[in-house]
Amino acid sequence: MKFIITLWISKLVAIAVNLIDRNRGSNYAGKIATRLMPDFVRHFKGIDYNKVIFITGTNGKSTTTNLVYHSLTAAGKRVASNLEGANMMGGVATTLIKNSTLGGKFNKEYLVLEIDERSLPAIRKVLPAGHMGITNLQKDQVQRNGDPDFILRKFRSAIGKDMTLYLNNEEPRSKALEDCAGKSIYFGAAANEKTYESHDFYDVTMPCPKCGHPISYSHYHLASIGTFACTHCGHRSEEKPDVLAEDIDFAGKTFRCGGLVWSYPYANPFYIYNYAMDIAICRNLGLSDETIRDGIACFVNPAHRREVLTYRGKHIHYLRMKQENPETLQSALDTIAEDKSEKAVFMGMYEVKDFLPYYSNSFYFFDCNFAPIAKTPVERYVVFSTTVCYDTANRIRYAGAPEERITVLDTEDIPTILAELDKTKTNNIYFLTGMKPYKELKKYFKQGGGTNG
């Protein structure tokens, strides 16, 4: 009876939140429910745990969750998912509240959930998912997560032999979880035009997550992701993973997999792994390659973080990123480096104030490769913020950018920042910031006559 009363209260809260502002409060009902009843999620009926899929890891959770949801619904399946990105216990509870009857019976077939890394053990105790895809385990939110090995230990405690894992074949930490599960399915990407070797001064050897000896990479697709082998034990990339994207053509937006040519909408190495995991999961759930391929081809990512604006006659490419790990920064840097024409680059790395202690560490800059941008024609670099603007300037200078082309603005005052646009000759502008300044900057762009397009 306590569960039913809690469920009814939370359903009323969800309705009220939706009436007030459907774009806010995506986990509010679930937060209230789990405060009233900590094991609330455990009591829902009608859930087939072999049709519950967790998507977790450092980067790519939201995109892959949206992809799997899209592929299953395009195939005619009834799916519930926390697409708003509320990925802790409250968000999971809210998803179930919105997709259940008044008696607490789950009313969909599949449940696809993005799961926060630290929350995984607690959530799996009350919702024993049969499937889990792990994108990668990288440096992220160090004020909260410490180091990736801390998250690795949490994952090991949450995985059982009743679970199927979908593991990144080219990421050593997540692949090290293969021994914990009843079944492991591997996905990866073949060498391609964006594959690279790295012998940079700032490179740091990665310890093997199984034995602690150095990991050796034959090549990289992304920072710390590529074909690898431990120099001591047998931990290594599979020679033939279950799902392998081959013949990757970024310009034509195609790759080959399972004898088929696949078209895809978003072209960078980061997305290839999202597509490969989607194929691995949906294949194992019984979808045909043709059905999955059709879903990927028409996929629109609501979480895509690139926007094109015009402002006072200038073409603004706005790239916003999660400003706490190297992989999302590298993806943005790669996008800028692809443009071989003259441009100006504006970068604003701010202090992250989501919880104490506030985050202004810039160590992850040195895990990224800024040099390809410096090798293209850049009229000027403008770096701004009141926290790490000088760190940003130094990292660009260390990559080979001429010091006289770097302007440092120790401010977060938007009119001051945008005044530099008027001093820039080129009309081809890249703006790269974290999520915090995006809304305010975009508002100023629109006030200055900016339009999408």
Side-chain angles (χ1 to χ4, degrees), residues 67-77 260-263 278-279 282-283 285-299:
L67 264 168
V68 174
Y69 174 86
H70 174 76
S71 294
L72 289 171
T73 53
K77 309 297 182 182
L260 297 177
V261 175
W262 302 62
S263 297
D278 178 50
I279 295 168
C282 291
R283 263 186 189 174
L285 294 176
L287 271 64
S288 69
D289 277 8
E290 290 79 7
T291 299
I292 306 167
R293 181 181 63 173
D294 291 345
I296 288 176
C298 65
F299 174 65

PDB file of all heavy atoms in Angstrom, residues 67-77 260-263 278-279 282-283 285-299:
ATOM      1  N   LEU A  67      20.137   6.819 -29.448  1.00  0.00           N
ATOM      2  CA  LEU A  67      20.267   5.936 -30.611  1.00  0.00           C
ATOM      3  C   LEU A  67      19.527   4.619 -30.403  1.00  0.00           C
ATOM      4  O   LEU A  67      18.766   4.174 -31.283  1.00  0.00           O
ATOM      5  CB  LEU A  67      21.750   5.637 -30.876  1.00  0.00           C
ATOM      6  CG  LEU A  67      22.475   6.479 -31.913  1.00  0.00           C
ATOM      7  CD1 LEU A  67      23.972   6.242 -31.832  1.00  0.00           C
ATOM      8  CD2 LEU A  67      21.971   6.154 -33.325  1.00  0.00           C
ATOM      9  N   VAL A  68      19.753   3.977 -29.258  1.00  0.00           N
ATOM     10  CA  VAL A  68      19.113   2.682 -28.989  1.00  0.00           C
ATOM     11  C   VAL A  68      17.599   2.858 -28.913  1.00  0.00           C
ATOM     12  O   VAL A  68      16.830   2.053 -29.469  1.00  0.00           O
ATOM     13  CB  VAL A  68      19.682   2.047 -27.708  1.00  0.00           C
ATOM     14  CG1 VAL A  68      18.921   0.773 -27.348  1.00  0.00           C
ATOM     15  CG2 VAL A  68      21.171   1.729 -27.870  1.00  0.00           C
ATOM     16  N   TYR A  69      17.160   3.912 -28.225  1.00  0.00           N
ATOM     17  CA  TYR A  69      15.720   4.211 -28.154  1.00  0.00           C
ATOM     18  C   TYR A  69      15.148   4.401 -29.561  1.00  0.00           C
ATOM     19  O   TYR A  69      14.095   3.848 -29.905  1.00  0.00           O
ATOM     20  CB  TYR A  69      15.503   5.468 -27.309  1.00  0.00           C
ATOM     21  CG  TYR A  69      14.077   5.953 -27.289  1.00  0.00           C
ATOM     22  CD1 TYR A  69      13.154   5.430 -26.374  1.00  0.00           C
ATOM     23  CD2 TYR A  69      13.633   6.938 -28.177  1.00  0.00           C
ATOM     24  CE1 TYR A  69      11.830   5.874 -26.358  1.00  0.00           C
ATOM     25  CE2 TYR A  69      12.316   7.379 -28.163  1.00  0.00           C
ATOM     26  CZ  TYR A  69      11.424   6.849 -27.253  1.00  0.00           C
ATOM     27  OH  TYR A  69      10.122   7.286 -27.242  1.00  0.00           O
ATOM     28  N   HIS A  70      15.851   5.183 -30.374  1.00  0.00           N
ATOM     29  CA  HIS A  70      15.390   5.462 -31.740  1.00  0.00           C
ATOM     30  C   HIS A  70      15.333   4.179 -32.563  1.00  0.00           C
ATOM     31  O   HIS A  70      14.351   3.942 -33.286  1.00  0.00           O
ATOM     32  CB  HIS A  70      16.330   6.474 -32.387  1.00  0.00           C
ATOM     33  CG  HIS A  70      16.048   6.739 -33.830  1.00  0.00           C
ATOM     34  ND1 HIS A  70      15.000   7.526 -34.261  1.00  0.00           N
ATOM     35  CD2 HIS A  70      16.682   6.307 -34.954  1.00  0.00           C
ATOM     36  CE1 HIS A  70      14.994   7.578 -35.585  1.00  0.00           C
ATOM     37  NE2 HIS A  70      16.003   6.839 -36.021  1.00  0.00           N
ATOM     38  N   SER A  71      16.357   3.337 -32.461  1.00  0.00           N
ATOM     39  CA  SER A  71      16.402   2.099 -33.254  1.00  0.00           C
ATOM     40  C   SER A  71      15.269   1.156 -32.870  1.00  0.00           C
ATOM     41  O   SER A  71      14.629   0.543 -33.737  1.00  0.00           O
ATOM     42  CB  SER A  71      17.751   1.404 -33.066  1.00  0.00           C
ATOM     43  OG  SER A  71      18.801   2.181 -33.595  1.00  0.00           O
ATOM     44  N   LEU A  72      15.010   1.025 -31.578  1.00  0.00           N
ATOM     45  CA  LEU A  72      13.950   0.126 -31.117  1.00  0.00           C
ATOM     46  C   LEU A  72      12.562   0.648 -31.490  1.00  0.00           C
ATOM     47  O   LEU A  72      11.707  -0.106 -31.958  1.00  0.00           O
ATOM     48  CB  LEU A  72      14.050  -0.075 -29.603  1.00  0.00           C
ATOM     49  CG  LEU A  72      15.239  -0.927 -29.120  1.00  0.00           C
ATOM     50  CD1 LEU A  72      15.353  -0.868 -27.596  1.00  0.00           C
ATOM     51  CD2 LEU A  72      15.103  -2.377 -29.576  1.00  0.00           C
ATOM     52  N   THR A  73      12.344   1.957 -31.300  1.00  0.00           N
ATOM     53  CA  THR A  73      11.022   2.507 -31.641  1.00  0.00           C
ATOM     54  C   THR A  73      10.796   2.492 -33.155  1.00  0.00           C
ATOM     55  O   THR A  73       9.678   2.253 -33.610  1.00  0.00           O
ATOM     56  CB  THR A  73      10.854   3.936 -31.093  1.00  0.00           C
ATOM     57  OG1 THR A  73      11.952   4.752 -31.533  1.00  0.00           O
ATOM     58  CG2 THR A  73      10.816   3.934 -29.577  1.00  0.00           C
ATOM     59  N   ALA A  74      11.862   2.736 -33.938  1.00  0.00           N
ATOM     60  CA  ALA A  74      11.731   2.678 -35.400  1.00  0.00           C
ATOM     61  C   ALA A  74      11.388   1.265 -35.859  1.00  0.00           C
ATOM     62  O   ALA A  74      10.788   1.083 -36.925  1.00  0.00           O
ATOM     63  CB  ALA A  74      13.022   3.150 -36.061  1.00  0.00           C
ATOM     64  N   ALA A  75      11.755   0.269 -35.047  1.00  0.00           N
ATOM     65  CA  ALA A  75      11.446  -1.126 -35.360  1.00  0.00           C
ATOM     66  C   ALA A  75      10.069  -1.534 -34.826  1.00  0.00           C
ATOM     67  O   ALA A  75       9.698  -2.712 -34.897  1.00  0.00           O
ATOM     68  CB  ALA A  75      12.516  -2.040 -34.773  1.00  0.00           C
ATOM     69  N   GLY A  76       9.324  -0.571 -34.270  1.00  0.00           N
ATOM     70  CA  GLY A  76       7.967  -0.847 -33.809  1.00  0.00           C
ATOM     71  C   GLY A  76       7.858  -1.307 -32.375  1.00  0.00           C
ATOM     72  O   GLY A  76       6.778  -1.728 -31.934  1.00  0.00           O
ATOM     73  N   LYS A  77       8.966  -1.218 -31.602  1.00  0.00           N
ATOM     74  CA  LYS A  77       8.941  -1.636 -30.205  1.00  0.00           C
ATOM     75  C   LYS A  77       8.402  -0.503 -29.320  1.00  0.00           C
ATOM     76  O   LYS A  77       8.555   0.675 -29.634  1.00  0.00           O
ATOM     77  CB  LYS A  77      10.339  -2.028 -29.728  1.00  0.00           C
ATOM     78  CG  LYS A  77      11.065  -3.032 -30.628  1.00  0.00           C
ATOM     79  CD  LYS A  77      10.349  -4.363 -30.698  1.00  0.00           C
ATOM     80  CE  LYS A  77      11.120  -5.356 -31.563  1.00  0.00           C
ATOM     81  NZ  LYS A  77      10.408  -6.646 -31.689  1.00  0.00           N
ATOM     82  N   LEU A 260      27.192  -4.888 -44.989  1.00  0.00           N
ATOM     83  CA  LEU A 260      26.339  -3.799 -45.455  1.00  0.00           C
ATOM     84  C   LEU A 260      27.092  -2.474 -45.407  1.00  0.00           C
ATOM     85  O   LEU A 260      28.011  -2.295 -44.596  1.00  0.00           O
ATOM     86  CB  LEU A 260      25.090  -3.680 -44.584  1.00  0.00           C
ATOM     87  CG  LEU A 260      24.116  -4.861 -44.557  1.00  0.00           C
ATOM     88  CD1 LEU A 260      22.988  -4.570 -43.567  1.00  0.00           C
ATOM     89  CD2 LEU A 260      23.554  -5.146 -45.944  1.00  0.00           C
ATOM     90  N   VAL A 261      26.673  -1.546 -46.245  1.00  0.00           N
ATOM     91  CA  VAL A 261      27.164  -0.174 -46.173  1.00  0.00           C
ATOM     92  C   VAL A 261      26.131   0.634 -45.379  1.00  0.00           C
ATOM     93  O   VAL A 261      24.945   0.602 -45.684  1.00  0.00           O
ATOM     94  CB  VAL A 261      27.362   0.433 -47.573  1.00  0.00           C
ATOM     95  CG1 VAL A 261      27.757   1.909 -47.458  1.00  0.00           C
ATOM     96  CG2 VAL A 261      28.425  -0.341 -48.335  1.00  0.00           C
ATOM     97  N   TRP A 262      26.606   1.317 -44.345  1.00  0.00           N
ATOM     98  CA  TRP A 262      25.742   2.069 -43.445  1.00  0.00           C
ATOM     99  C   TRP A 262      25.953   3.566 -43.663  1.00  0.00           C
ATOM    100  O   TRP A 262      27.092   4.027 -43.734  1.00  0.00           O
ATOM    101  CB  TRP A 262      26.059   1.742 -41.990  1.00  0.00           C
ATOM    102  CG  TRP A 262      25.939   0.290 -41.631  1.00  0.00           C
ATOM    103  CD1 TRP A 262      26.659  -0.762 -42.136  1.00  0.00           C
ATOM    104  CD2 TRP A 262      25.035  -0.278 -40.673  1.00  0.00           C
ATOM    105  NE1 TRP A 262      26.269  -1.935 -41.561  1.00  0.00           N
ATOM    106  CE2 TRP A 262      25.267  -1.679 -40.651  1.00  0.00           C
ATOM    107  CE3 TRP A 262      24.071   0.252 -39.827  1.00  0.00           C
ATOM    108  CZ2 TRP A 262      24.568  -2.549 -39.822  1.00  0.00           C
ATOM    109  CZ3 TRP A 262      23.366  -0.605 -38.998  1.00  0.00           C
ATOM    110  CH2 TRP A 262      23.602  -1.989 -39.001  1.00  0.00           C
ATOM    111  N   SER A 263      24.872   4.314 -43.738  1.00  0.00           N
ATOM    112  CA  SER A 263      24.950   5.774 -43.778  1.00  0.00           C
ATOM    113  C   SER A 263      24.673   6.308 -42.378  1.00  0.00           C
ATOM    114  O   SER A 263      23.866   5.742 -41.635  1.00  0.00           O
ATOM    115  CB  SER A 263      23.921   6.338 -44.761  1.00  0.00           C
ATOM    116  OG  SER A 263      24.201   5.903 -46.071  1.00  0.00           O
ATOM    117  N   ASP A 278      25.238   0.792 -30.663  1.00  0.00           N
ATOM    118  CA  ASP A 278      23.827   0.641 -31.018  1.00  0.00           C
ATOM    119  C   ASP A 278      23.613  -0.633 -31.832  1.00  0.00           C
ATOM    120  O   ASP A 278      22.675  -1.404 -31.569  1.00  0.00           O
ATOM    121  CB  ASP A 278      23.374   1.870 -31.800  1.00  0.00           C
ATOM    122  CG  ASP A 278      21.928   1.785 -32.265  1.00  0.00           C
ATOM    123  OD1 ASP A 278      21.065   1.469 -31.425  1.00  0.00           O
ATOM    124  OD2 ASP A 278      21.672   2.036 -33.449  1.00  0.00           O
ATOM    125  N   ILE A 279      24.480  -0.872 -32.799  1.00  0.00           N
ATOM    126  CA  ILE A 279      24.376  -2.087 -33.613  1.00  0.00           C
ATOM    127  C   ILE A 279      24.535  -3.325 -32.739  1.00  0.00           C
ATOM    128  O   ILE A 279      23.758  -4.285 -32.842  1.00  0.00           O
ATOM    129  CB  ILE A 279      25.437  -2.082 -34.734  1.00  0.00           C
ATOM    130  CG1 ILE A 279      25.181  -0.942 -35.716  1.00  0.00           C
ATOM    131  CG2 ILE A 279      25.449  -3.419 -35.478  1.00  0.00           C
ATOM    132  CD1 ILE A 279      26.321  -0.684 -36.689  1.00  0.00           C
ATOM    133  N   CYS A 282      21.313  -3.747 -30.429  1.00  0.00           N
ATOM    134  CA  CYS A 282      20.070  -4.049 -31.149  1.00  0.00           C
ATOM    135  C   CYS A 282      20.149  -5.390 -31.882  1.00  0.00           C
ATOM    136  O   CYS A 282      19.146  -6.107 -31.983  1.00  0.00           O
ATOM    137  CB  CYS A 282      19.736  -2.911 -32.109  1.00  0.00           C
ATOM    138  SG  CYS A 282      19.260  -1.391 -31.242  1.00  0.00           S
ATOM    139  N   ARG A 283      21.326  -5.744 -32.376  1.00  0.00           N
ATOM    140  CA  ARG A 283      21.500  -7.073 -32.959  1.00  0.00           C
ATOM    141  C   ARG A 283      21.203  -8.154 -31.921  1.00  0.00           C
ATOM    142  O   ARG A 283      20.474  -9.116 -32.185  1.00  0.00           O
ATOM    143  CB  ARG A 283      22.953  -7.244 -33.424  1.00  0.00           C
ATOM    144  CG  ARG A 283      23.237  -6.989 -34.868  1.00  0.00           C
ATOM    145  CD  ARG A 283      24.681  -7.367 -35.144  1.00  0.00           C
ATOM    146  NE  ARG A 283      25.109  -6.968 -36.471  1.00  0.00           N
ATOM    147  CZ  ARG A 283      26.364  -7.090 -36.902  1.00  0.00           C
ATOM    148  NH1 ARG A 283      27.292  -7.580 -36.085  1.00  0.00           N
ATOM    149  NH2 ARG A 283      26.683  -6.709 -38.126  1.00  0.00           N
ATOM    150  N   LEU A 285      19.407  -7.983 -29.370  1.00  0.00           N
ATOM    151  CA  LEU A 285      18.001  -7.982 -28.985  1.00  0.00           C
ATOM    152  C   LEU A 285      17.088  -8.509 -30.095  1.00  0.00           C
ATOM    153  O   LEU A 285      15.874  -8.557 -29.929  1.00  0.00           O
ATOM    154  CB  LEU A 285      17.566  -6.568 -28.590  1.00  0.00           C
ATOM    155  CG  LEU A 285      18.210  -5.994 -27.328  1.00  0.00           C
ATOM    156  CD1 LEU A 285      17.770  -4.550 -27.113  1.00  0.00           C
ATOM    157  CD2 LEU A 285      17.887  -6.833 -26.094  1.00  0.00           C
ATOM    158  N   GLY A 286      17.701  -8.878 -31.227  1.00  0.00           N
ATOM    159  CA  GLY A 286      16.942  -9.538 -32.281  1.00  0.00           C
ATOM    160  C   GLY A 286      16.600  -8.701 -33.492  1.00  0.00           C
ATOM    161  O   GLY A 286      15.936  -9.194 -34.410  1.00  0.00           O
ATOM    162  N   LEU A 287      17.042  -7.445 -33.549  1.00  0.00           N
ATOM    163  CA  LEU A 287      16.756  -6.615 -34.715  1.00  0.00           C
ATOM    164  C   LEU A 287      17.690  -6.989 -35.861  1.00  0.00           C
ATOM    165  O   LEU A 287      18.858  -7.347 -35.643  1.00  0.00           O
ATOM    166  CB  LEU A 287      16.918  -5.135 -34.387  1.00  0.00           C
ATOM    167  CG  LEU A 287      15.680  -4.398 -33.837  1.00  0.00           C
ATOM    168  CD1 LEU A 287      15.261  -4.973 -32.493  1.00  0.00           C
ATOM    169  CD2 LEU A 287      15.964  -2.914 -33.704  1.00  0.00           C
ATOM    170  N   SER A 288      17.209  -6.901 -37.080  1.00  0.00           N
ATOM    171  CA  SER A 288      18.050  -7.181 -38.248  1.00  0.00           C
ATOM    172  C   SER A 288      18.968  -5.997 -38.533  1.00  0.00           C
ATOM    173  O   SER A 288      18.666  -4.853 -38.154  1.00  0.00           O
ATOM    174  CB  SER A 288      17.179  -7.445 -39.476  1.00  0.00           C
ATOM    175  OG  SER A 288      16.520  -6.254 -39.893  1.00  0.00           O
ATOM    176  N   ASP A 289      20.081  -6.270 -39.205  1.00  0.00           N
ATOM    177  CA  ASP A 289      20.999  -5.190 -39.573  1.00  0.00           C
ATOM    178  C   ASP A 289      20.303  -4.153 -40.446  1.00  0.00           C
ATOM    179  O   ASP A 289      20.555  -2.951 -40.324  1.00  0.00           O
ATOM    180  CB  ASP A 289      22.214  -5.751 -40.309  1.00  0.00           C
ATOM    181  CG  ASP A 289      23.283  -6.264 -39.350  1.00  0.00           C
ATOM    182  OD1 ASP A 289      23.018  -6.316 -38.131  1.00  0.00           O
ATOM    183  OD2 ASP A 289      24.388  -6.601 -39.811  1.00  0.00           O
ATOM    184  N   GLU A 290      19.424  -4.599 -41.335  1.00  0.00           N
ATOM    185  CA  GLU A 290      18.724  -3.674 -42.221  1.00  0.00           C
ATOM    186  C   GLU A 290      17.837  -2.712 -41.430  1.00  0.00           C
ATOM    187  O   GLU A 290      17.786  -1.510 -41.720  1.00  0.00           O
ATOM    188  CB  GLU A 290      17.881  -4.452 -43.234  1.00  0.00           C
ATOM    189  CG  GLU A 290      18.672  -5.207 -44.294  1.00  0.00           C
ATOM    190  CD  GLU A 290      19.261  -6.523 -43.794  1.00  0.00           C
ATOM    191  OE1 GLU A 290      18.941  -6.932 -42.650  1.00  0.00           O
ATOM    192  OE2 GLU A 290      20.045  -7.130 -44.541  1.00  0.00           O
ATOM    193  N   THR A 291      17.174  -3.242 -40.405  1.00  0.00           N
ATOM    194  CA  THR A 291      16.312  -2.405 -39.568  1.00  0.00           C
ATOM    195  C   THR A 291      17.132  -1.400 -38.773  1.00  0.00           C
ATOM    196  O   THR A 291      16.787  -0.215 -38.689  1.00  0.00           O
ATOM    197  CB  THR A 291      15.487  -3.286 -38.604  1.00  0.00           C
ATOM    198  OG1 THR A 291      14.655  -4.155 -39.374  1.00  0.00           O
ATOM    199  CG2 THR A 291      14.619  -2.437 -37.686  1.00  0.00           C
ATOM    200  N   ILE A 292      18.247  -1.865 -38.188  1.00  0.00           N
ATOM    201  CA  ILE A 292      19.113  -0.971 -37.403  1.00  0.00           C
ATOM    202  C   ILE A 292      19.708   0.098 -38.319  1.00  0.00           C
ATOM    203  O   ILE A 292      19.780   1.282 -37.958  1.00  0.00           O
ATOM    204  CB  ILE A 292      20.244  -1.757 -36.704  1.00  0.00           C
ATOM    205  CG1 ILE A 292      19.678  -2.912 -35.872  1.00  0.00           C
ATOM    206  CG2 ILE A 292      21.071  -0.832 -35.815  1.00  0.00           C
ATOM    207  CD1 ILE A 292      20.721  -3.916 -35.409  1.00  0.00           C
ATOM    208  N   ARG A 293      20.132  -0.331 -39.504  1.00  0.00           N
ATOM    209  CA  ARG A 293      20.739   0.609 -40.456  1.00  0.00           C
ATOM    210  C   ARG A 293      19.762   1.714 -40.840  1.00  0.00           C
ATOM    211  O   ARG A 293      20.136   2.891 -40.893  1.00  0.00           O
ATOM    212  CB  ARG A 293      21.197  -0.153 -41.707  1.00  0.00           C
ATOM    213  CG  ARG A 293      21.857   0.728 -42.750  1.00  0.00           C
ATOM    214  CD  ARG A 293      22.265  -0.049 -43.981  1.00  0.00           C
ATOM    215  NE  ARG A 293      21.109  -0.618 -44.667  1.00  0.00           N
ATOM    216  CZ  ARG A 293      21.188  -1.231 -45.848  1.00  0.00           C
ATOM    217  NH1 ARG A 293      22.346  -1.359 -46.459  1.00  0.00           N
ATOM    218  NH2 ARG A 293      20.103  -1.726 -46.422  1.00  0.00           N
ATOM    219  N   ASP A 294      18.517   1.345 -41.097  1.00  0.00           N
ATOM    220  CA  ASP A 294      17.517   2.353 -41.460  1.00  0.00           C
ATOM    221  C   ASP A 294      17.309   3.344 -40.316  1.00  0.00           C
ATOM    222  O   ASP A 294      17.117   4.544 -40.539  1.00  0.00           O
ATOM    223  CB  ASP A 294      16.200   1.682 -41.815  1.00  0.00           C
ATOM    224  CG  ASP A 294      16.282   0.895 -43.122  1.00  0.00           C
ATOM    225  OD1 ASP A 294      17.256   1.097 -43.875  1.00  0.00           O
ATOM    226  OD2 ASP A 294      15.374   0.073 -43.373  1.00  0.00           O
ATOM    227  N   GLY A 295      17.350   2.849 -39.064  1.00  0.00           N
ATOM    228  CA  GLY A 295      17.189   3.725 -37.907  1.00  0.00           C
ATOM    229  C   GLY A 295      18.331   4.701 -37.752  1.00  0.00           C
ATOM    230  O   GLY A 295      18.123   5.902 -37.514  1.00  0.00           O
ATOM    231  N   ILE A 296      19.563   4.228 -37.902  1.00  0.00           N
ATOM    232  CA  ILE A 296      20.734   5.103 -37.776  1.00  0.00           C
ATOM    233  C   ILE A 296      20.719   6.175 -38.863  1.00  0.00           C
ATOM    234  O   ILE A 296      21.046   7.342 -38.611  1.00  0.00           O
ATOM    235  CB  ILE A 296      22.036   4.274 -37.829  1.00  0.00           C
ATOM    236  CG1 ILE A 296      22.204   3.477 -36.529  1.00  0.00           C
ATOM    237  CG2 ILE A 296      23.258   5.177 -38.061  1.00  0.00           C
ATOM    238  CD1 ILE A 296      23.412   2.553 -36.508  1.00  0.00           C
ATOM    239  N   ALA A 297      20.344   5.806 -40.068  1.00  0.00           N
ATOM    240  CA  ALA A 297      20.387   6.743 -41.198  1.00  0.00           C
ATOM    241  C   ALA A 297      19.502   7.966 -40.973  1.00  0.00           C
ATOM    242  O   ALA A 297      19.825   9.061 -41.439  1.00  0.00           O
ATOM    243  CB  ALA A 297      19.981   6.031 -42.483  1.00  0.00           C
ATOM    244  N   CYS A 298      18.387   7.794 -40.244  1.00  0.00           N
ATOM    245  CA  CYS A 298      17.470   8.926 -40.051  1.00  0.00           C
ATOM    246  C   CYS A 298      17.526   9.471 -38.620  1.00  0.00           C
ATOM    247  O   CYS A 298      16.645  10.228 -38.207  1.00  0.00           O
ATOM    248  CB  CYS A 298      16.047   8.523 -40.410  1.00  0.00           C
ATOM    249  SG  CYS A 298      15.320   7.253 -39.357  1.00  0.00           S
ATOM    250  N   PHE A 299      18.564   9.112 -37.869  1.00  0.00           N
ATOM    251  CA  PHE A 299      18.673   9.538 -36.472  1.00  0.00           C
ATOM    252  C   PHE A 299      18.959  11.026 -36.363  1.00  0.00           C
ATOM    253  O   PHE A 299      19.818  11.569 -37.064  1.00  0.00           O
ATOM    254  CB  PHE A 299      19.798   8.749 -35.789  1.00  0.00           C
ATOM    255  CG  PHE A 299      20.112   9.191 -34.387  1.00  0.00           C
ATOM    256  CD1 PHE A 299      19.174   9.056 -33.373  1.00  0.00           C
ATOM    257  CD2 PHE A 299      21.355   9.738 -34.081  1.00  0.00           C
ATOM    258  CE1 PHE A 299      19.467   9.451 -32.073  1.00  0.00           C
ATOM    259  CE2 PHE A 299      21.662  10.130 -32.792  1.00  0.00           C
ATOM    260  CZ  PHE A 299      20.712   9.986 -31.780  1.00  0.00           C
TER     261      PHE A 299
END
